[in-house]
Every structure is written in C-alpha cells, then in structure tokens.
Amino acid sequence: MTDTLSTSQQHRNDDTPLLSVRDLRVTFHRSGEEPFVAVDGVSFDLRPGDTLGIVGESGSGKSVTSLAIMGLLPKRGVRVEGEVLYNGTNLLTLSPDQMRDRRGAELGMIFQDPLSSLNPVVPIGVQVTEVLERHRGMSRKAATPLAREMLDRVGIPDPDRRLKDYPHQLSGGMRQRALIAMALAAAPRVLIADEPTTALDVTIQAQILAVLKDLVEDTGTAMIMITHDLGVVAGLVDRVNVMYAGRVVEAAERHPLFADPRHPYTWGLLQSIPRLDGARGERLNPIPGSVSDNLPWTSACAFAPRCSQPIEVCTQRTPELVEDHGRSLRCFNPIQHGRPSPDADTTRGTSEVTR
Amino acid sequence: MSGVQPSATDTSGAQSTDGAHTAYGHDDRNDDVLVDVRGVKVHFPIKRGVIFDKTVGHVYAVDGIDLQIRRGETYGLVGESGSGKSTLGRAILNLEPPTEGSVEFDGIDIASLQGEELRRKRQDIQMVFQDPMGSLDPRQSVESLLLEGMKAHGLTKDGTEASRRLRELLSAVGLPVAALKKYPHEFSGGQRQRIGIARALSVNPKLIVADEPVSALDVSVQAQVINLLEDLQEEFGLTYLVVAHDLAVVRHISDRIGVMYLGGIVEEAPADALYATPLHPYTRALMSAVPVPDPLVEDRRERIILTGDLPSPSNPPSGCRFHTRCPWRQETKCDTERPVLRVPDIPGVAADHRVACHWAEQIESGEIQPHEVTAEFVEQHAGGGDGSLMGPATAVEAMVHHPGNTAGGGGGGG
C-alpha cells in the first residue's frame, strides 16, 4: 500500500505540497471484535490554494480520514498509522499541546452539524474572538471588530447584534456561517469541510457553498471538501478522490472524472442519481446490494459483489491503485468510454440480500 | 398518467385561496380525482404560561391549500424544511386534523369520519416514513410487523392464506422469505425501507403517502428504492403522494409537482413543464440551487442565490410570503396582496401549469428584472405575540430600504 496520489506532478509547477497524507491507515479495536480498518492506505497531496473533494457513502472512511488528519480521533482503541506531513512536520507524531497550536491556526475544520460544534452557552461573538485571542494573540477588545467583520463576510445580516446571540437563536444556515467564520478567523492554510451542507436546505446550501468558494479563493486557503453528494463537488473542487470501504478507488481532476468515470463504483454512483436536468421517465440504474455485501480488501476488490462487470480476478486479488495520465484507478476491469465492458462476467449474479 | 387536462380554468384567477374553492374544472371528471384537498389550513397553537396555558400565537404550518391528486398518478410535494409539506401529508391522512378546509378521499370527507369508520378508511391510505429504523418496532419480527395491519383490518382469515400473502409482499419489495423471522436491526437502511413499504402495501391501500422515502438512504441505495416505488405503482395501480425536499428525486418520480413555500403552494405543474419553464421566483431559485453532478453544467450555471432564511411560519410575511426574499419583488401588490394560484397568460404555458405570483407574466417576458435583496435576520424560536422576541426581526425589517426595480439587472447576488 504505497500507492501515491500525487495530485499534480504534471500540472501546476512542482511547489511542495502544503499537506501530504502518506499511506494513512486507521484501525478501530474493540474488545471481543475483529479490528476494523476504517481507512486503509490513503495518500494524497494538497498544494496551497488546491481544493480537493473526497466523495463516498457512509462507511467509506471519508470522515475518519479528516478526523485523523486533524488529530481528533480518540487515543483509546484507535490506531493511526502512516504520515500526515504539514509543511514537512508529521502531525501524527506531535504532542496534544503542539497539535492544539496548529489546529485552528493552520488547519481549520467545519463540521456537518453546526449546533453540536458550537458551545450552546457562549455567545457567537465570544466564540469567534476566542479563536483570534488564542491563535493570533489578540486582546478581546482588538478581536471584537475583526469578529464582526468575519460575521459580515460570511453573510450574517446585522453582525453587531449577532455577536451577542447564542447558537440556538440562529437558524441552521446562520450557524453554519458562524462556524465558517470561526474556522476562517485565524486564517488557516488548510480548511477541512466535512459535509458542511448536508443538514441544510438546498437554497441555503447554495448560499453556504458560494460563501465557501469566495472565501477560499480570496484567502488562498487550501480546502478539502468531504461529501456524499457528487453534485456538490462537481462545481467546487479541482480534484476528486472517490472512496469506497476505506480506500481510494478513483481519483482525478473533476472534469475527466465526471465526463469519463472509469471505476464501476464512480460510474454506478453517477448512473444512480436522478438528475434535475436528466430525461424524465428513464429508469435509474442503481448499484445493487449495500455496503454489507463488501468483501475484505486484503483478498479481493471490496466492491466486486456490487460491481456491474466483475471478472474472475476481482474476487481473488487486491487491485492496486495505479496512476495513469493524472488519474488514479483501483480496478481490474474498468469502464470503457462510459459503458460497461462487454466481456464482463455477467453470470455472477449480484445478490441483493446476503444476511 | 398526467394526460388529463383540466377543461375549465377561466374562473380560477378570481378565487381566493382563503377558504374558497379554486375552480379547476374538476366537475366533469370527479371520478378521476382520488384526493381532493380544499382550502386546508393546519395551524398549531403556541402556548405559554404555567397555569392558564394561554395561546399566544399560531404556527401557520399549512395555510390554505387546494390540490387534487388523480388516480394512478404520483403527486410530488417539494419544499424546504418549514414549508409545511409534511404537515400537509399528515393532514391528508387526518393524522393532523385540519384547522379549516376539507380533505375528500374517494368522494368521502375524511374529517367527517370518526372512530371505527376512520380506522377502516385508513386501510386505503398508508404512509411510508423517512426514517425506517424509527418507524419499525425494533422488538417485532418482520412477520409480525407485516401481519399487524392485515389483522387489524381483518385481511387474514387463515394461516396458509396469510403466509402466502407474506411471501407475495416480500417478493414484491425484493426481500427473501428468510427475512420474515428477522428483526429490523438485522437489515441495512435500504432493506428497512423495503420493509416499511411492504408494511404499507400489506393492507391493499389505494394511496400511499411517502414522506421523504429516500432521504435517509445512501445515494447508491436511493435509486433501488425509487425504482421499487415505480414498479409497485405499476403492479398495484397505486396513487402516490411523495413529499420530499430533493427536487431531482421528486422530478424523477412525479407526474405533477406542487412547490410549497411557507404553508402555501406557489406553483403547480406537470413535472416536465415545471422543469422546462419554472415561473415562480421561488421555483426558479430552488431549481438553480440544486447541484447537478456534471462540472460542465455547474460551471455554466447561473445561480439565483436567495438571501436570508425562511421566515418563521408563526409570523409569516404579509402579502406574498416570498416577498422578503424575492429578487423580483415589486413596490405594489407583493407586500400587501397574497397571490392566488392561477394559470398565467404566457404563450406556451398549458392550462395545468398554475403559479401564485402577481408578476409571473412580466418576469417571464423579462419586463421585470431581478435586483439585489438585503438579507433579513430571522429570529429562531420566535413565539408569536411576544413583543420582545419579535423585536429584532421587525426592527431589521423596518431598516431594510426597499430596493424597488431601479436596481434592475443585478444577477441576484453572489
């Protein structure tokens, strides 16, 4: 598992990556149960100003990846291996104190549920100024106007009044804006957004994505956008990593990835989403089964039981992640020209229910 | 399925949604309508005080809705959280008795039914819920879950008949017979939703109200359930009311769509017409906000980004409820007169496409251009009547200067 997703040897001059994740592996140990590998050999590079999308369904390991980078996984029962190099320092070897200095200041994070990531008994203004005091060494007095400006920049109306508000007084969209303001207050160089719009309505989602896009462009912050929604990354990021069962199965620039998905999982996802601009009345083409049908990566391709075109080798060996023309792919029998290959072994029925 | 066109729409513009019935040319095809919703309102009282339990205001969850669902069609209700779409779905089942108005199911006014009669009528109307784990009793086996409804409605005479019926149900929703002895926790989310659908089917309903049937499921599993719902409709001749926030899902599955905003339907049209020519400013904004998994489309798209939040349903704006966020809002009418669902006078727009906007024609022709809108802050948990709580929202409202249409040409911000 030394396969590397170098984001850009060919494109973008070879400035050194800001964040470089090397062979990240997260294992959960629970007493009386087999160890569970949630993230299995994930590698990628993030350059200043890059935006990377990590897409996957529940259980794909996308959130655990972000928590591992931020050092937010519990110490007990969790083993994190590999390297997370930030400016040459391996974050995984830092002490909790050293990590705390970097978290917020250098690496910011936005979570899915803003209500549980904001302190309910502290006014919004204090929570934003706290970041500035802690990471920029400002006094409360000097930080307040800046906090006001941050709230204004993320589009919170009447920011002077909102500084004194508590999280419960804000709507979901406004809370998420407050969280973005907090995350960006200390001007981090990397921002990890973990499903930032999943709990929001579409019109509010459009607002939040627009705010994020503008701020990331203005501040030159590199962003990792974690989501299950291919539509969200389609218009937002430079490059997309598609994860399945803890491993990256396909990674490419967003245009080639969407125009010509090569991994049957990526292809299947795109086929199964009803599109607003698609032809109506056409039947959707779902991926059969569910994640409970997965095979272990150690001896096979985990996706094989749900795959539209498995061949014999899929259930016998582990496919490696191979890079070719800026695209990384982990598949023995990839999709050709947007269509499943004709020589697929279709006799292997995919069982929908295994348990 | 949506081939039936209303024959008379001439008077609809003159009707008021408040209580009065909207003429929709339904007299000549009454048998065709399975559900007839007339002027339905559902208002929830907001109570305060320990001893007197004083009502200090109302949440106007559903506020004057007329809609007809025809036999065999799928009617989609879309709207964001707080638009009242789920409450309307529940009102149709009389799970939430309407404060005003009537719901006729198969020619019978549901509100007039009580006790045993209502219970028997519910056999014809079943519901599929969003959260399959929360709506299945974890301590009942699948067999017992499916039999419960059949027993309650006297559909199982003997054991062999029942077990044959159970097998049929399971095969209809694509589960193995072995599933009967298992419990809900042993299944994945998609399979649980299949059990929920099998339970709804078990009593041979005519109408199934599906409230966000796929939104709790993973993307790859969503499509399985959507296909299943479509197959079952064909097989059993079901009528669906699908309530969902995902416009792409609703467009895919529905024949006709009603778009809800703050308790009212702002636009209603056949699914294709709604997508091809959205007429209401809110529908336009909603359409433009739905992400499309295609970078080519996303890069070219013009987004109408709405400012601010949905206003509180306990203190809805006067006039058109959308006027506080509408980029096409005008100085006259919008703030004061509540628009009625009507067929707009636009060439190419069919008589089954109705919109509740005063200026639909002028917006479509480009006569009225969108302008910037200043966001208003919406106080959360604001109780009606309590002056101090309502303060900020009204204060902000007062400060916002009305942009009018002098600022024409602005692309709606962002």
PDB file of all heavy atoms in Angstrom, chain B residues 366-395:
ATOM      1  N   GLY B 366     -39.332  39.170 -19.169  1.00  0.00           N
ATOM      2  CA  GLY B 366     -38.117  39.946 -18.947  1.00  0.00           C
ATOM      3  C   GLY B 366     -38.393  41.413 -18.670  1.00  0.00           C
ATOM      4  O   GLY B 366     -37.480  42.220 -18.504  1.00  0.00           O
ATOM      5  N   GLU B 367     -39.676  41.753 -18.608  1.00  0.00           N
ATOM      6  CA  GLU B 367     -40.057  43.135 -18.325  1.00  0.00           C
ATOM      7  C   GLU B 367     -39.592  43.569 -16.935  1.00  0.00           C
ATOM      8  O   GLU B 367     -39.190  44.701 -16.732  1.00  0.00           O
ATOM      9  CB  GLU B 367     -41.580  43.215 -18.405  1.00  0.00           C
ATOM     10  CG  GLU B 367     -42.139  44.545 -18.806  1.00  0.00           C
ATOM     11  CD  GLU B 367     -43.651  44.418 -18.950  1.00  0.00           C
ATOM     12  OE1 GLU B 367     -44.130  43.606 -19.772  1.00  0.00           O
ATOM     13  OE2 GLU B 367     -44.344  45.120 -18.212  1.00  0.00           O
ATOM     14  N   ILE B 368     -39.651  42.626 -16.001  1.00  0.00           N
ATOM     15  CA  ILE B 368     -39.162  42.907 -14.654  1.00  0.00           C
ATOM     16  C   ILE B 368     -37.842  42.176 -14.474  1.00  0.00           C
ATOM     17  O   ILE B 368     -37.759  40.969 -14.713  1.00  0.00           O
ATOM     18  CB  ILE B 368     -40.170  42.423 -13.587  1.00  0.00           C
ATOM     19  CG1 ILE B 368     -41.476  43.181 -13.719  1.00  0.00           C
ATOM     20  CG2 ILE B 368     -39.592  42.581 -12.195  1.00  0.00           C
ATOM     21  CD1 ILE B 368     -42.546  42.693 -12.769  1.00  0.00           C
ATOM     22  N   GLN B 369     -36.829  42.884 -14.085  1.00  0.00           N
ATOM     23  CA  GLN B 369     -35.515  42.280 -13.895  1.00  0.00           C
ATOM     24  C   GLN B 369     -35.245  42.060 -12.407  1.00  0.00           C
ATOM     25  O   GLN B 369     -35.735  42.804 -11.571  1.00  0.00           O
ATOM     26  CB  GLN B 369     -34.439  43.206 -14.479  1.00  0.00           C
ATOM     27  CG  GLN B 369     -34.424  43.232 -15.994  1.00  0.00           C
ATOM     28  CD  GLN B 369     -34.028  41.889 -16.586  1.00  0.00           C
ATOM     29  OE1 GLN B 369     -33.080  41.265 -16.155  1.00  0.00           O
ATOM     30  NE2 GLN B 369     -34.781  41.438 -17.587  1.00  0.00           N
ATOM     31  N   PRO B 370     -34.462  41.038 -12.094  1.00  0.00           N
ATOM     32  CA  PRO B 370     -34.159  40.808 -10.676  1.00  0.00           C
ATOM     33  C   PRO B 370     -33.234  41.886 -10.116  1.00  0.00           C
ATOM     34  O   PRO B 370     -32.493  42.527 -10.854  1.00  0.00           O
ATOM     35  CB  PRO B 370     -33.468  39.455 -10.681  1.00  0.00           C
ATOM     36  CG  PRO B 370     -32.943  39.283 -12.050  1.00  0.00           C
ATOM     37  CD  PRO B 370     -33.860  40.026 -12.961  1.00  0.00           C
ATOM     38  N   HIS B 371     -33.321  42.095  -8.817  1.00  0.00           N
ATOM     39  CA  HIS B 371     -32.465  43.079  -8.167  1.00  0.00           C
ATOM     40  C   HIS B 371     -31.873  42.486  -6.906  1.00  0.00           C
ATOM     41  O   HIS B 371     -32.281  41.409  -6.460  1.00  0.00           O
ATOM     42  CB  HIS B 371     -33.256  44.345  -7.831  1.00  0.00           C
ATOM     43  CG  HIS B 371     -34.567  44.050  -7.145  1.00  0.00           C
ATOM     44  ND1 HIS B 371     -34.658  43.554  -5.876  1.00  0.00           N
ATOM     45  CD2 HIS B 371     -35.851  44.157  -7.588  1.00  0.00           C
ATOM     46  CE1 HIS B 371     -35.915  43.389  -5.550  1.00  0.00           C
ATOM     47  NE2 HIS B 371     -36.669  43.731  -6.562  1.00  0.00           N
ATOM     48  N   GLU B 372     -30.928  43.178  -6.336  1.00  0.00           N
ATOM     49  CA  GLU B 372     -30.289  42.709  -5.100  1.00  0.00           C
ATOM     50  C   GLU B 372     -31.311  42.728  -3.964  1.00  0.00           C
ATOM     51  O   GLU B 372     -32.160  43.620  -3.895  1.00  0.00           O
ATOM     52  CB  GLU B 372     -29.138  43.650  -4.720  1.00  0.00           C
ATOM     53  CG  GLU B 372     -28.017  43.673  -5.725  1.00  0.00           C
ATOM     54  CD  GLU B 372     -27.022  42.549  -5.507  1.00  0.00           C
ATOM     55  OE1 GLU B 372     -26.948  42.054  -4.362  1.00  0.00           O
ATOM     56  OE2 GLU B 372     -26.353  42.164  -6.474  1.00  0.00           O
ATOM     57  N   VAL B 373     -31.200  41.762  -3.071  1.00  0.00           N
ATOM     58  CA  VAL B 373     -32.074  41.733  -1.909  1.00  0.00           C
ATOM     59  C   VAL B 373     -31.213  41.766  -0.662  1.00  0.00           C
ATOM     60  O   VAL B 373     -30.210  41.060  -0.580  1.00  0.00           O
ATOM     61  CB  VAL B 373     -32.948  40.460  -1.892  1.00  0.00           C
ATOM     62  CG1 VAL B 373     -33.867  40.453  -0.702  1.00  0.00           C
ATOM     63  CG2 VAL B 373     -33.727  40.333  -3.183  1.00  0.00           C
ATOM     64  N   THR B 374     -31.567  42.629   0.290  1.00  0.00           N
ATOM     65  CA  THR B 374     -30.835  42.655   1.548  1.00  0.00           C
ATOM     66  C   THR B 374     -31.387  41.569   2.459  1.00  0.00           C
ATOM     67  O   THR B 374     -32.602  41.467   2.634  1.00  0.00           O
ATOM     68  CB  THR B 374     -31.007  44.019   2.238  1.00  0.00           C
ATOM     69  OG1 THR B 374     -30.849  45.019   1.242  1.00  0.00           O
ATOM     70  CG2 THR B 374     -29.975  44.205   3.324  1.00  0.00           C
ATOM     71  N   ALA B 375     -30.497  40.787   3.006  1.00  0.00           N
ATOM     72  CA  ALA B 375     -30.953  39.689   3.857  1.00  0.00           C
ATOM     73  C   ALA B 375     -31.564  40.225   5.134  1.00  0.00           C
ATOM     74  O   ALA B 375     -31.086  41.186   5.709  1.00  0.00           O
ATOM     75  CB  ALA B 375     -29.783  38.782   4.187  1.00  0.00           C
ATOM     76  N   GLU B 376     -32.636  39.583   5.550  1.00  0.00           N
ATOM     77  CA  GLU B 376     -33.228  39.922   6.834  1.00  0.00           C
ATOM     78  C   GLU B 376     -32.899  38.804   7.801  1.00  0.00           C
ATOM     79  O   GLU B 376     -32.930  37.634   7.437  1.00  0.00           O
ATOM     80  CB  GLU B 376     -34.745  40.057   6.699  1.00  0.00           C
ATOM     81  CG  GLU B 376     -35.136  41.245   5.876  1.00  0.00           C
ATOM     82  CD  GLU B 376     -36.639  41.373   5.752  1.00  0.00           C
ATOM     83  OE1 GLU B 376     -37.357  40.743   6.554  1.00  0.00           O
ATOM     84  OE2 GLU B 376     -37.074  42.090   4.854  1.00  0.00           O
ATOM     85  N   PHE B 377     -32.615  39.174   9.030  1.00  0.00           N
ATOM     86  CA  PHE B 377     -32.306  38.137  10.004  1.00  0.00           C
ATOM     87  C   PHE B 377     -33.603  37.522  10.507  1.00  0.00           C
ATOM     88  O   PHE B 377     -34.556  38.237  10.825  1.00  0.00           O
ATOM     89  CB  PHE B 377     -31.508  38.705  11.170  1.00  0.00           C
ATOM     90  CG  PHE B 377     -31.085  37.636  12.121  1.00  0.00           C
ATOM     91  CD1 PHE B 377     -30.050  36.777  11.789  1.00  0.00           C
ATOM     92  CD2 PHE B 377     -31.750  37.447  13.320  1.00  0.00           C
ATOM     93  CE1 PHE B 377     -29.679  35.764  12.650  1.00  0.00           C
ATOM     94  CE2 PHE B 377     -31.370  36.440  14.184  1.00  0.00           C
ATOM     95  CZ  PHE B 377     -30.321  35.603  13.854  1.00  0.00           C
ATOM     96  N   VAL B 378     -33.644  36.221  10.557  1.00  0.00           N
ATOM     97  CA  VAL B 378     -34.836  35.543  11.051  1.00  0.00           C
ATOM     98  C   VAL B 378     -34.539  34.960  12.420  1.00  0.00           C
ATOM     99  O   VAL B 378     -33.708  34.070  12.562  1.00  0.00           O
ATOM    100  CB  VAL B 378     -35.272  34.422  10.078  1.00  0.00           C
ATOM    101  CG1 VAL B 378     -36.487  33.717  10.621  1.00  0.00           C
ATOM    102  CG2 VAL B 378     -35.537  34.993   8.707  1.00  0.00           C
ATOM    103  N   GLU B 379     -35.218  35.503  13.407  1.00  0.00           N
ATOM    104  CA  GLU B 379     -35.021  35.035  14.773  1.00  0.00           C
ATOM    105  C   GLU B 379     -35.564  33.620  14.903  1.00  0.00           C
ATOM    106  O   GLU B 379     -36.660  33.319  14.437  1.00  0.00           O
ATOM    107  CB  GLU B 379     -35.755  35.964  15.735  1.00  0.00           C
ATOM    108  CG  GLU B 379     -35.460  35.716  17.184  1.00  0.00           C
ATOM    109  CD  GLU B 379     -34.159  36.375  17.615  1.00  0.00           C
ATOM    110  OE1 GLU B 379     -33.675  37.283  16.914  1.00  0.00           O
ATOM    111  OE2 GLU B 379     -33.635  35.974  18.649  1.00  0.00           O
ATOM    112  N   GLN B 380     -34.799  32.733  15.508  1.00  0.00           N
ATOM    113  CA  GLN B 380     -35.289  31.371  15.689  1.00  0.00           C
ATOM    114  C   GLN B 380     -36.120  31.278  16.961  1.00  0.00           C
ATOM    115  O   GLN B 380     -35.932  32.038  17.892  1.00  0.00           O
ATOM    116  CB  GLN B 380     -34.105  30.399  15.788  1.00  0.00           C
ATOM    117  CG  GLN B 380     -33.303  30.367  14.514  1.00  0.00           C
ATOM    118  CD  GLN B 380     -34.133  29.976  13.312  1.00  0.00           C
ATOM    119  OE1 GLN B 380     -34.639  28.877  13.218  1.00  0.00           O
ATOM    120  NE2 GLN B 380     -34.302  30.902  12.369  1.00  0.00           N
ATOM    121  N   HIS B 381     -37.024  30.316  16.950  1.00  0.00           N
ATOM    122  CA  HIS B 381     -37.900  30.060  18.104  1.00  0.00           C
ATOM    123  C   HIS B 381     -38.654  31.301  18.519  1.00  0.00           C
ATOM    124  O   HIS B 381     -38.920  31.520  19.691  1.00  0.00           O
ATOM    125  CB  HIS B 381     -37.112  29.542  19.309  1.00  0.00           C
ATOM    126  CG  HIS B 381     -36.255  28.375  18.982  1.00  0.00           C
ATOM    127  ND1 HIS B 381     -36.779  27.158  18.688  1.00  0.00           N
ATOM    128  CD2 HIS B 381     -34.915  28.262  18.862  1.00  0.00           C
ATOM    129  CE1 HIS B 381     -35.787  26.316  18.420  1.00  0.00           C
ATOM    130  NE2 HIS B 381     -34.657  26.968  18.504  1.00  0.00           N
ATOM    131  N   ALA B 382     -38.972  32.171  17.574  1.00  0.00           N
ATOM    132  CA  ALA B 382     -39.702  33.378  17.933  1.00  0.00           C
ATOM    133  C   ALA B 382     -41.162  33.018  18.112  1.00  0.00           C
ATOM    134  O   ALA B 382     -41.793  32.509  17.193  1.00  0.00           O
ATOM    135  CB  ALA B 382     -39.533  34.414  16.834  1.00  0.00           C
ATOM    136  N   GLY B 383     -41.677  33.245  19.286  1.00  0.00           N
ATOM    137  CA  GLY B 383     -43.080  32.972  19.528  1.00  0.00           C
ATOM    138  C   GLY B 383     -43.909  34.144  19.043  1.00  0.00           C
ATOM    139  O   GLY B 383     -43.519  35.281  19.191  1.00  0.00           O
ATOM    140  N   GLY B 384     -45.051  33.861  18.469  1.00  0.00           N
ATOM    141  CA  GLY B 384     -45.922  34.940  18.029  1.00  0.00           C
ATOM    142  C   GLY B 384     -46.418  35.717  19.236  1.00  0.00           C
ATOM    143  O   GLY B 384     -46.512  35.187  20.331  1.00  0.00           O
ATOM    144  N   GLY B 385     -46.713  36.972  19.075  1.00  0.00           N
ATOM    145  CA  GLY B 385     -47.330  37.749  20.141  1.00  0.00           C
ATOM    146  C   GLY B 385     -46.348  38.307  21.144  1.00  0.00           C
ATOM    147  O   GLY B 385     -46.563  39.378  21.692  1.00  0.00           O
ATOM    148  N   ASP B 386     -45.262  37.618  21.402  1.00  0.00           N
ATOM    149  CA  ASP B 386     -44.313  38.117  22.387  1.00  0.00           C
ATOM    150  C   ASP B 386     -43.480  39.231  21.764  1.00  0.00           C
ATOM    151  O   ASP B 386     -42.595  39.001  20.966  1.00  0.00           O
ATOM    152  CB  ASP B 386     -43.400  36.966  22.840  1.00  0.00           C
ATOM    153  CG  ASP B 386     -42.548  37.371  24.027  1.00  0.00           C
ATOM    154  OD1 ASP B 386     -42.238  38.581  24.134  1.00  0.00           O
ATOM    155  OD2 ASP B 386     -42.211  36.492  24.831  1.00  0.00           O
ATOM    156  N   GLY B 387     -43.797  40.420  22.170  1.00  0.00           N
ATOM    157  CA  GLY B 387     -43.195  41.599  21.538  1.00  0.00           C
ATOM    158  C   GLY B 387     -41.686  41.601  21.583  1.00  0.00           C
ATOM    159  O   GLY B 387     -41.027  41.858  20.571  1.00  0.00           O
ATOM    160  N   SER B 388     -41.119  41.254  22.733  1.00  0.00           N
ATOM    161  CA  SER B 388     -39.674  41.354  22.866  1.00  0.00           C
ATOM    162  C   SER B 388     -38.962  40.357  21.956  1.00  0.00           C
ATOM    163  O   SER B 388     -37.914  40.638  21.401  1.00  0.00           O
ATOM    164  CB  SER B 388     -39.269  41.101  24.316  1.00  0.00           C
ATOM    165  OG  SER B 388     -39.588  39.776  24.665  1.00  0.00           O
ATOM    166  N   LEU B 389     -39.589  39.179  21.794  1.00  0.00           N
ATOM    167  CA  LEU B 389     -38.954  38.185  20.943  1.00  0.00           C
ATOM    168  C   LEU B 389     -39.058  38.554  19.468  1.00  0.00           C
ATOM    169  O   LEU B 389     -38.189  38.250  18.675  1.00  0.00           O
ATOM    170  CB  LEU B 389     -39.614  36.805  21.160  1.00  0.00           C
ATOM    171  CG  LEU B 389     -38.941  35.921  22.194  1.00  0.00           C
ATOM    172  CD1 LEU B 389     -39.738  34.661  22.403  1.00  0.00           C
ATOM    173  CD2 LEU B 389     -37.524  35.591  21.777  1.00  0.00           C
ATOM    174  N   MET B 390     -40.168  39.192  19.125  1.00  0.00           N
ATOM    175  CA  MET B 390     -40.359  39.523  17.725  1.00  0.00           C
ATOM    176  C   MET B 390     -39.542  40.744  17.338  1.00  0.00           C
ATOM    177  O   MET B 390     -39.399  41.049  16.174  1.00  0.00           O
ATOM    178  CB  MET B 390     -41.841  39.807  17.420  1.00  0.00           C
ATOM    179  CG  MET B 390     -42.763  38.665  17.737  1.00  0.00           C
ATOM    180  SD  MET B 390     -42.144  37.101  17.107  1.00  0.00           S
ATOM    181  CE  MET B 390     -42.202  37.419  15.356  1.00  0.00           C
ATOM    182  N   GLY B 391     -39.037  41.432  18.343  1.00  0.00           N
ATOM    183  CA  GLY B 391     -38.360  42.707  18.132  1.00  0.00           C
ATOM    184  C   GLY B 391     -37.358  42.739  16.995  1.00  0.00           C
ATOM    185  O   GLY B 391     -37.596  43.437  15.995  1.00  0.00           O
ATOM    186  N   PRO B 392     -36.263  42.002  17.124  1.00  0.00           N
ATOM    187  CA  PRO B 392     -35.188  42.133  16.158  1.00  0.00           C
ATOM    188  C   PRO B 392     -35.636  41.974  14.706  1.00  0.00           C
ATOM    189  O   PRO B 392     -35.297  42.782  13.862  1.00  0.00           O
ATOM    190  CB  PRO B 392     -34.237  41.004  16.541  1.00  0.00           C
ATOM    191  CG  PRO B 392     -34.537  40.723  17.958  1.00  0.00           C
ATOM    192  CD  PRO B 392     -35.975  41.026  18.147  1.00  0.00           C
ATOM    193  N   ALA B 393     -36.461  40.934  14.460  1.00  0.00           N
ATOM    194  CA  ALA B 393     -36.871  40.678  13.088  1.00  0.00           C
ATOM    195  C   ALA B 393     -37.595  41.883  12.514  1.00  0.00           C
ATOM    196  O   ALA B 393     -37.328  42.323  11.395  1.00  0.00           O
ATOM    197  CB  ALA B 393     -37.757  39.445  13.032  1.00  0.00           C
ATOM    198  N   THR B 394     -38.507  42.442  13.323  1.00  0.00           N
ATOM    199  CA  THR B 394     -39.273  43.579  12.815  1.00  0.00           C
ATOM    200  C   THR B 394     -38.392  44.815  12.690  1.00  0.00           C
ATOM    201  O   THR B 394     -38.560  45.604  11.766  1.00  0.00           O
ATOM    202  CB  THR B 394     -40.477  43.906  13.740  1.00  0.00           C
ATOM    203  OG1 THR B 394     -40.354  43.123  14.904  1.00  0.00           O
ATOM    204  CG2 THR B 394     -41.765  43.668  13.034  1.00  0.00           C
ATOM    205  N   ALA B 395     -37.458  44.947  13.613  1.00  0.00           N
ATOM    206  CA  ALA B 395     -36.582  46.111  13.560  1.00  0.00           C
ATOM    207  C   ALA B 395     -35.744  46.076  12.269  1.00  0.00           C
ATOM    208  O   ALA B 395     -35.616  47.085  11.569  1.00  0.00           O
ATOM    209  CB  ALA B 395     -35.660  46.146  14.770  1.00  0.00           C
TER     210      ALA B 395
END
